Amino acid sequence: RRLGFETKALGLLGFAVEDKPKPAPPAPIITGKISTNGAELQQILVSGVRSSELQAKGYTARHFMQAGCDANDLMRCGFSAMELKGAGYRIHELARAGLSVRDLTGIGFNGHDLKSANMGAMEMRLGGFTVRDLIQLGYNENHIIVCGYSVGELAVEGLSRRTSDHF
């Protein structure tokens, strides 16, 4: 449509078209009473309400976590990483929500936690971990070597630029 094709032409090409756009569903009204209904809370989150508005009505990240809402939706609403951790979201959920290694270490997770959340050597390097840190955490030498450390940083820890067959 943006390119100027008419609805009929798009239909002939096999695209699903509607003559009239569907009206947007009404935004949920946040009342003074805190809801525990998961579907209702999910609808509140996707309606674009900011976390400050939710908190002013008494909602916390824990309300949404207990209702099964995704951490990513809470992040989009404006809840902080620390609020999500405090609500009980696990590191895996926070990483899936887009928090970086630096974000996660900033709210109290350590290298072992990050490795258990399947953070790769490159992500760990970008998050400020040294070659020694990665070796101590049990990362594969090949993964450490190829993630961009300088020759000097690798040599100090006894690694060379040449990869080996250690898996």
Side-chain angles (χ1 to χ4, degrees):
R1 289 181 191 211
R2 287 187 307 232
L3 296 174
F5 288 94
E6 294 179 8
T7 302
K8 185 177 180 181
L10 290 171
L12 291 172
L13 291 171
F15 291 99
V17 292
E18 297 177 20
D19 290 334
K20 298 178 190 175
K22 292 181 181 176
I29 298 170
I30 303 173
T31 63
K33 182 181 176 194
I34 294 178
S35 173
T36 56
N37 179 311
E40 216 173 279
L41 290 173
Q42 185 67 39
Q43 188 178 5
I44 288 171
L45 276 183
V46 298
S47 71
V49 177
R50 302 297 308 155
S51 64
S52 56
E53 296 172 61
L54 294 169
Q55 290 169 335
K57 296 292 184 182
Y59 285 98
T60 65
R62 183 173 295 278
H63 288 108
F64 294 96
M65 191 274 301
Q66 289 173 339
C69 295
D70 188 53
N72 198 24
D73 292 334
L74 289 169
M75 291 289 294
R76 273 195 305 262
C77 261
F79 282 97
S80 72
M82 187 60 87
E83 289 171 314
L84 296 180
K85 181 184 179 194
Y89 283 98
R90 295 185 317 262
I91 189 170
H92 298 80
E93 296 165 308
L94 298 173
R96 261 196 319 272
L99 293 175
S100 70
V101 168
R102 284 192 193 273
D103 297 330
L104 293 168
T105 55
I107 60 172
F109 291 105
N110 63 36
H112 294 288
D113 299 328
L114 295 165
K115 186 158 193 256
S116 74
N118 296 319
M119 291 291 184
M122 178 63 83
E123 293 168 295
M124 297 293 277
R125 178 188 175 273
L126 295 173
F129 284 82
T130 65
V131 174
R132 176 169 286 164
D133 295 333
L134 297 185
I135 291 170
Q136 289 173 343
L137 289 169
Y139 281 88
N140 178 301
E141 286 181 14
N142 287 337
H143 294 148
I144 297 170
I145 290 168
V146 299
C147 71
Y149 288 104
S150 71
V151 172
E153 290 172 304
L154 295 170
V156 167
E157 298 304 328
L159 302 177
S160 68
R161 272 301 218 189
R162 192 182 79 232
T163 59
S164 60
D165 291 332
H166 300 285
F167 289 102

